[in-house]
Amino acid sequence: MTHIARPAANEHAPYYAGYIDAAEATLAPRGLADVLALLEAQTADWQALMATVPEAKASVAYAPGKWTLAESLVHVSDTERVFAYRLLRIARGDRTPLPGFEQDDWVPTSRAVNRSLADIIAEMYAMRAATLALVRSLDDEAVAQTGVASGKVVTARALVWMIAGHMQHHFGLTRERYLA
């Protein structure tokens, strides 16, 4: 496994900078060495956060028109799955442009409201375990690979950081809005 440095601004679409910033802002205060350490730590963070959340909270949205906690957590897994698939394809040198996805179209069809909170959380952990296995397999050449996703140039390196940052973003939202 290689050290995966923060991606340069030209390695991702501008709207992903917030996720990359969120990942970077978490490293030093937590004493984490790199983005892989953050990816590893996030599972324990979620386990601690969700340990005492009652099932009834799953169907609660923090404001009218917002997703329920269950929908938000399924979105986290769905997005990680999409980003990890992009990471796999790009790290393997596949130059086929990858399509975007519309998160707001996916949430209603996720059927999160029909699932238990424990099942949704278990899926998050399984998804992260698969992502970690993929990231640990990458070398310098793989993380430097470039591809196109959602019509924008992106590197494998940027996707690793986006995965960590997206989860960090939702960790904050969950803690501050759903569980406050």
Side-chain angles (χ1 to χ4, degrees):
M1 174 58 222
T2 186
H3 172 76
I4 302 174
R6 180 190 168 109
N10 67 347
E11 294 184 48
H12 57 84
Y15 50 82
Y16 290 121
Y19 294 151
I20 293 166
D21 290 346
E24 184 172 56
T26 306
L27 296 177
R30 301 267 320 265
L32 300 172
D34 58 22
V35 72
L36 177 59
L38 176 57
L39 289 167
E40 292 168 340
Q42 286 174 327
T43 299
D45 294 345
W46 278 98
Q47 287 171 333
L49 182 66
M50 301 306 292
T52 60
V53 176
E55 186 66 38
K57 279 276 195 184
S59 61
V60 175
Y62 66 84
K66 296 297 183 182
W67 297 336
T68 65
L69 176 59
E71 290 169 333
S72 179
L73 296 176
V74 169
H75 160 76
V76 171
S77 290
D78 284 352
T79 301
E80 182 152 336
R81 190 172 277 117
V82 169
F83 285 1
Y85 177 68
R86 291 173 178 176
L87 171 61
L88 172 67
R89 297 269 307 261
I90 291 169
R92 299 290 193 259
D94 189 336
R95 299 288 182 253
T96 308
L98 300 166
F101 73 103
E102 180 48 61
Q103 64 184 20
D104 292 322
D105 291 345
W106 285 28
V107 169
T109 59
S110 73
R111 294 166 186 74
V113 297
N114 299 329
R115 295 175 62 189
S116 72
L117 191 56
D119 181 56
I120 292 167
I121 293 168
E123 180 185 1
M124 286 177 64
Y125 300 157
M127 188 63 239
R128 179 47 59 96
T131 299
L132 282 167
L134 174 59
V135 172
R136 288 182 186 126
S137 77
L138 303 176
D139 61 15
D140 290 336
E141 184 179 344
V143 298
Q145 293 294 317
T146 301
V148 174
S150 298
K152 307 289 184 188
V153 171
V154 65
T155 62
R157 173 186 7 267
L159 283 158
V160 173
W161 280 77
M162 288 159 46
I163 290 167
H166 181 260
M167 184 168 271
Q168 200 62 40
H169 167 74
H170 279 278
F171 184 80
L173 286 176
T174 301
R175 187 181 61 235
E176 296 159 18
R177 296 188 182 165
Y178 289 99
L179 304 179

